[in-house]
Amino acid sequence: MTVETLAVTNIQQESLPAPTGEAKKTSSGKRLFVLDLARFIAMLMMMQGHTLDSLVTPQQLDINAFPWNIWHFLRGLTAPIFLLISGAVSVYAIKRNDDGVVTPETIRKRIRWAAILLGLGYLMMFPANRIFDLPFVQQESWRAFFQVNILHLNGVAMLMLIALATKTRSPEALGKLSFAVACGIAILTPFVHSVNWFNHLPEVLAAYLSYHHGSLFPIFPFGAYLFFGVALGAFLKRFQASAQLRVLKKRMVPIGISFLTVGFLLTGLLQVIPFPEHNFHGSSPAFVLIRIGIVAVFLSVVAVFYERTRRFEKFYEFYGKKALHIYIGHLVILYGTPWFPSISKLYPKQLVLADGLWIAVAVIGATLGSVYMLDRFQKTVNKGALILRYSSFALLAYALLR
């Protein structure tokens, strides 16, 4: 097992969509398994998408031609699904006292978890083989190290969220404030991306505001998905646990249609109002709303499917809780680590589609199987959790100091 995978096997995560670490229990203690199922589907989309994109030749996987253009669009929904669910379940993880004030323990846990996510995000892109080699790292390697991935985004968004939570006295107030923040992020995104932040801020900060140096998930616009999710979580929390599945099934379709309608109208409006020139798919407020609308409808469809597959809810719950392990595990299997390469580094965009498909199945199977075996080891071996924790630290220390 690799350094990165072992580094997270013993973190007591509440649950992670992509990943943040929030518990997903309703106010009465009943878990919303439908969100686990939605997350699991998104994880499958993520793993096959990463595998095919990194291994199959562009001639056979042309994202400008049917059906791969549709496949490419659906791949783009994976992060919004994760982030929306992450925001929704975070509402349940924020504990308040009788006066509505966020408890100090909640603040400490959220800050600690944010630090873990940020640390893992940077560790996965460590720019040298050893700490002692850092003085000799070239500028391009430092640039790659500072690129913002989903772990960085979740860590920073969590800090933003807990700051908002401390300014409110109820989940409802937090939901309203988060909805306003999400709209603000979406609207300001074209303006933010019209600035070359690398001329004004250090690389480590500018990377959170721009795609230009390779960041995949800058705060603008991706933070909006998480805060729309917080608003959704606050909305769901208004209902009894027994009614929340029904709310997802019945109300998410009209909500999604509303977002889609506003998004398409805004698409035309942006052609005539003085917004900065921007990329529609990367920095348009309209595209954010369109994606939110599609994800809302997706959640409704998943709720219907969940009702017909309730017997598998423990399976959904298990892998829903292990989203961080799955995220890091499949990246290690597919891409390797800073210390050793793997499949995509050895055969980058060189394979035919058939080979890419069976490797995608193998990556998914190996990832899910490894996560299951690690969990069984912790639960069945005496002091298994301690063994994995200390072996993780030992492997990491060896990799950095050897």
Side-chain angles (χ1 to χ4, degrees):
M1 185 58 59
T2 59
V3 172
E4 284 87 348
T5 305
L6 285 171
V8 298
T9 51
N10 295 291
I11 297 172
Q12 296 302 311
Q13 42 184 13
E14 292 97 333
S15 69
L16 294 170
T20 55
E22 300 89 353
K24 282 193 313 244
K25 293 196 176 181
T26 64
S27 55
S28 67
K30 182 175 174 59
R31 189 177 183 87
L32 274 172
F33 295 104
V34 64
L35 297 183
D36 288 312
L37 174 56
R39 176 181 301 174
F40 181 69
I41 293 171
M43 285 189 286
L44 295 179
M45 292 167 57
M46 171 186 68
M47 288 188 282
Q48 64 83 24
H50 283 164
T51 305
L52 295 181
D53 180 67
S54 62
L55 295 178
V56 178
T57 64
Q59 291 76 20
Q60 293 204 2
L61 202 159
D62 183 359
I63 61 174
N64 296 312
F66 180 84
W68 298 110
N69 52 353
I70 297 176
W71 172 84
H72 183 65
F73 175 79
L74 294 176
R75 277 193 68 205
L77 296 175
T78 304
I81 292 170
F82 277 133
L83 292 168
L84 191 81
I85 296 175
S86 174
V89 301
S90 68
V91 176
Y92 299 102
I94 297 175
K95 308 302 180 184
R96 300 174 182 270
N97 61 24
D98 293 339
D99 296 323
V101 177
V102 179
T103 63
E105 180 65 16
T106 293
I107 296 174
R108 286 194 295 270
K109 284 183 177 180
R110 298 300 91 193
I111 293 175
R112 174 178 175 270
W113 191 245
I116 289 171
L117 291 176
L118 287 167
L120 287 171
Y122 286 115
L123 179 62
M124 291 180 66
M125 297 301 297
F126 195 71
N129 288 329
R130 304 180 304 162
I131 289 179
F132 306 112
D133 296 329
L134 289 177
F136 310 104
V137 171
Q138 300 298 312
Q139 182 179 359
E140 288 302 314
S141 296
W142 281 117
R143 180 173 293 179
F145 174 69
F146 289 124
Q147 290 170 0
V148 173
N149 62 38
I150 197 74
L151 295 176
H152 302 111
L153 173 67
N154 272 274
V156 170
M158 183 177 296
L159 295 175
M160 295 169 62
L161 176 57
I162 200 64
L164 291 182
T166 60
K167 303 299 182 182
T168 62
R169 291 295 181 267
S170 69
E172 184 178 1
L174 176 60
K176 291 178 180 178
L177 181 57
S178 295
F179 186 84
V181 169
C183 291
I185 290 175
I187 292 170
L188 290 175
T189 293
F191 297 94
V192 170
H193 286 280
S194 68
V195 177
N196 187 347
W197 294 102
F198 296 96
N199 291 337
H200 308 284
L201 295 174
E203 183 86 20
V204 63
L205 298 179
Y208 284 90
L209 301 173
S210 174
Y211 295 109
H212 289 163
H213 286 184
S215 291
L216 297 176
F217 297 101
I219 295 171
F220 297 82
F222 286 96
Y225 299 114
L226 186 137
F227 286 103
F228 276 127
V230 176
L232 172 62
F235 172 71
L236 289 174
K237 201 168 185 181
R238 293 164 48 192
F239 301 89
Q240 293 295 322
S242 59
Q244 292 183 3
L245 176 62
R246 185 170 65 253
V247 170
L248 282 171
K249 186 174 66 172
K250 300 293 186 181
R251 298 201 182 184
M252 294 310 290
V253 169
I255 289 173
I257 292 174
S258 298
F259 271 95
L260 286 168
T261 301
V262 175
F264 284 120
L265 290 175
L266 186 57
T267 299
L269 189 60
L270 289 176
Q271 305 300 317
V272 297
I273 60 177
F275 259 57
E277 184 177 350
H278 58 277
N279 177 275
F280 179 76
H281 294 94
S283 52
S284 170
F287 195 57
V288 172
L289 299 182
I290 290 170
R291 275 179 162 176
I292 288 291
I294 295 173
V295 173
V297 175
F298 166 78
L299 288 178
S300 180
V301 173
V302 171
V304 173
F305 181 74
Y306 165 73
E307 283 193 318
R308 290 158 172 75
T309 60
R310 285 177 182 268
R311 62 187 180 278
F312 299 115
E313 62 185 20
K314 291 302 181 183
F315 175 87
Y316 303 149
E317 178 185 10
F318 175 79
Y319 282 111
K321 288 180 176 180
K322 300 295 184 179
L324 177 60
H325 297 74
I326 290 172
Y327 175 76
I328 292 181
H330 96 279
L331 291 181
V332 170
I333 292 172
L334 183 59
Y335 299 105
T337 73
W339 297 279
F340 60 82
S342 191
I343 311 168
S344 69
K345 298 290 180 66
L346 300 175
Y347 306 101
K349 296 185 180 297
Q350 295 179 11
L351 302 182
V352 297
L353 179 59
D355 289 341
L357 288 171
W358 76 258
I359 291 176
V361 173
V363 168
I364 292 172
T367 302
L368 299 182
S370 297
V371 168
Y372 176 79
M373 294 304 296
L374 282 172
D375 182 77
R376 295 301 301 165
F377 180 86
Q378 292 183 80
K379 291 179 177 177
T380 58
V381 175
N382 184 34
K383 298 183 179 180
L386 286 176
I387 292 172
L388 285 176
R389 179 179 296 125
Y390 290 120
S391 63
S392 300
F393 292 147
L395 282 173
L396 180 59
Y398 174 76
L400 293 174
L401 299 175
R402 72 187 191 285

